[in-house]
Amino acid sequence: MEKKNIDWGNLGFAYMQTDKRFVSNYKDGAWDDGAIISDATVSITECAGVFQYAQTCFEGLKAYTTEDGSIVCFRPDLNAERMKQSAERLEMPVFPKDRFIKAVIDTVKANEAWVPPYGSGATLYIRPNMNATGAVIGVKPADEYQFRIFVTPVGPYFKGGVKPLTLRICDFDRAAPHGTGHIKAGLNYAMSLHAIVDAHKAGFDENMFLDSATRTKVEETGGANFLFVTKDNKVVTPKSNSILPSITRRSLMVVAKDYLGLEVEEREIYKEELADFAECGLCGTAAVISPVGKINDHGKEICFPSGMTSMGPVTKKLYDTLTGIQMGRIKGPEGWVVKIS
Ligand SMILES: *Cc1c(COP(=O)(O)O)cnc(C)c1O
């Protein structure tokens, strides 16, 4: 198989149409067999539930070329499970988990020429998504859906080196206490766009959202979970029912405990504690961990001792170990790295 002629090292994070995608349609109460197809466009009624009432959810994971030249992906079973939970909360039909995993593998295989080579820093981003395709005008769940997986090669996240982020504590809320913050729904992103555009205008990289009930506790950013390191090297992450359960964050907590021998804790984290931490990072599939250098709380700056030029030492070890597992340089726990070809 010949790789596409792409300058892998200089790819950004943008959509590039590849050759193949997986599509399965739900009609009359059942999913069809699905197929790998070439058509990158979706043609559905103007009255589709996704257009009217935002009945849509998605997932994100990556395929990597490992040191020995295999193509693998990382914990796709957890994406399958999370998409099941998203679908259930949005009254959408669940795409069976075993079929989800097989469809991920088949889609990557069909686009093997687009999987960036080992050492390039680039990866193949995989985007499963489900949309209500049936017409609805009265407010109710649609009766037809499409599950689709497309892929797109994406560049190294830390191109030009690691730059710690500057966050601001945001006055907009991301998720209500019993709302949809814990599922990967497009609607959570639609309403975060104003907050992020506003943050960028004010010179910040990201928003730190607080719990909307009391506005005293740390939740997450628009698309990544928080990880903190205390001054005595304990790894702490916020506990809340309205945070999206990041697979990267859950994996990093295991790495911290079982690979680095660190104490780990998932608990409520108060805004008042922020100044006591030694390191702070944002976790998600895109970057694994992006270090946070400072947080602006309405003009008052909280600067982490790790500074504005590099990752803190614990963040760096976590990053190196997890990416080492993903790239096949370090043996991962059973089932984490799934071989595609
Ligand atoms: C997807 C997502 C994350 C990161 O999850 P990963 O599984 O680690 O990629 C974090 N927060 C939100 C709101 C998300 O949508």
Side-chain angles (χ1 to χ4, degrees), residues 58-61 78-79 82 125 127 174 181 183-185 188-189 220-226 242-251 283-286 288:
F58 67 100
E59 272 303 324
L61 68 161
L78 297 190
N79 295 96
R82 196 167 64 186
Y125 185 73
R127 170 53 62 91
R174 175 183 171 273
I183 60 163
K184 221 167 169 69
N188 291 334
Y189 279 78
E220 60 173 321
T221 66
N225 284 183
F226 280 106
S242 45
I243 291 176
L244 195 280
S246 157
I247 294 164
T248 314
R249 184 257 302 164
R250 287 182 274 164
S251 304
C283 326
T285 295
V288 180

Side-chain angles (χ1 to χ4, degrees), residues 19 161 193 302:
D19 297 330
L193 296 177
I302 300 156

